[in-house]
Structures are given as structure tokens and as C-alpha cells.
Amino acid sequence: CTLYMYTIHVYYTCILYMYSIHVHYTHVHYTCTLYMYTIHVHYTCILYMYTIHVHYTCTLYMYTIHVHYTCILILYMYTFVIHLMVHYYFIVHIVLLMLRIVLLRIVLSNSADHYTP
């Protein structure tokens, strides 16, 4: 009877011990899995946020460069047009002055021909 009780005790102790080991390792396994998954999700989120940040920073930077050079180009074009207009004004002014001189000479030479005795 004592041996039987001892055998039952040892048997159930072994079963309980094996079950405890199983539960312990299962718990460790799931805890590790959860931990690894959390790390994975965390770093994936960080990488994703960083990618978004880099993307929008690059986009903003490119847009700033584009706007900057577009403004410079527009300013240069307007400066060039104003420059040409000023030159054109002076050229037209000089041409008109020369035409006046030529016309005045023609008129004077014609009037001088009429008054010759």
C-alpha cells in the first residue's frame, strides 16, 4: 500500500513537474514571440515613419529648390525684358533723332534750292 501510494505520488509529481516545465517553456516561448513581434512592429513603425519623414523632407527640399530657381529664372527674364526695353527705347530714340536730322537737311536743302536767285 505504501509502495502503491509512493508510486502514485511519484507518478503525479512527475506529471505535474512535466506539466510545469511545459507551461513554463510555453510561457517563455510565447513571451519571446510576443517580445520579438513587439520589437519587429516597433522598428517597422520607426522605419516607416523615418521613410515618410525622409520622403516629405526630400519633396519639400526639391519643391523649395524648384520654387527658388523658378523665382530666379522669372526675375532674370523680367530683368532681361526690361533691359531690352530700355535698349529698344534708346535705339528707337536715336533712330528717330537721326530721321529728324535727315528730314531737316532735306527740307533745308529743298528750301535753299527754292530761294536761289
Side-chain angles (χ1 to χ4, degrees):
C1 202
T2 305
L3 187 68
Y4 185 73
M5 290 301 292
Y6 184 76
T7 307
I8 285 168
H9 174 78
V10 166
Y11 178 75
Y12 281 108
T13 305
C14 281
I15 282 173
L16 191 69
Y17 187 72
M18 290 303 291
Y19 184 76
S20 297
I21 286 168
H22 174 76
V23 165
H24 178 74
Y25 280 107
T26 306
H27 175 76
V28 165
H29 176 75
Y30 281 111
T31 306
C32 282
T33 304
L34 190 69
Y35 187 73
M36 291 303 291
Y37 185 75
T38 307
I39 284 170
H40 173 79
V41 166
H42 178 76
Y43 282 107
T44 305
C45 283
I46 283 173
L47 189 70
Y48 188 72
M49 291 303 292
Y50 185 76
T51 306
I52 285 169
H53 173 79
V54 165
H55 177 76
Y56 282 107
T57 304
C58 284
T59 303
L60 190 70
Y61 187 73
M62 291 305 291
Y63 184 76
T64 307
I65 285 171
H66 174 78
V67 166
H68 178 76
Y69 282 106
T70 305
C71 285
I72 284 172
L73 191 69
I74 286 167
L75 192 68
Y76 183 76
M77 286 303 292
Y78 277 112
T79 308
F80 184 69
V81 166
I82 288 164
H83 188 73
L84 276 179
M85 282 173 69
V86 167
H87 274 275
Y88 180 74
Y89 174 76
F90 279 113
I91 287 165
V92 165
H93 190 70
I94 288 164
V95 166
L96 285 174
L97 191 66
M98 286 172 70
L99 278 173
R100 280 180 188 170
I101 290 166
V102 168
L103 285 172
L104 193 63
R105 279 190 177 176
I106 290 167
V107 167
L108 285 174
S109 67
N110 282 342
S111 62
D113 287 341
H114 282 297
Y115 289 110
T116 328

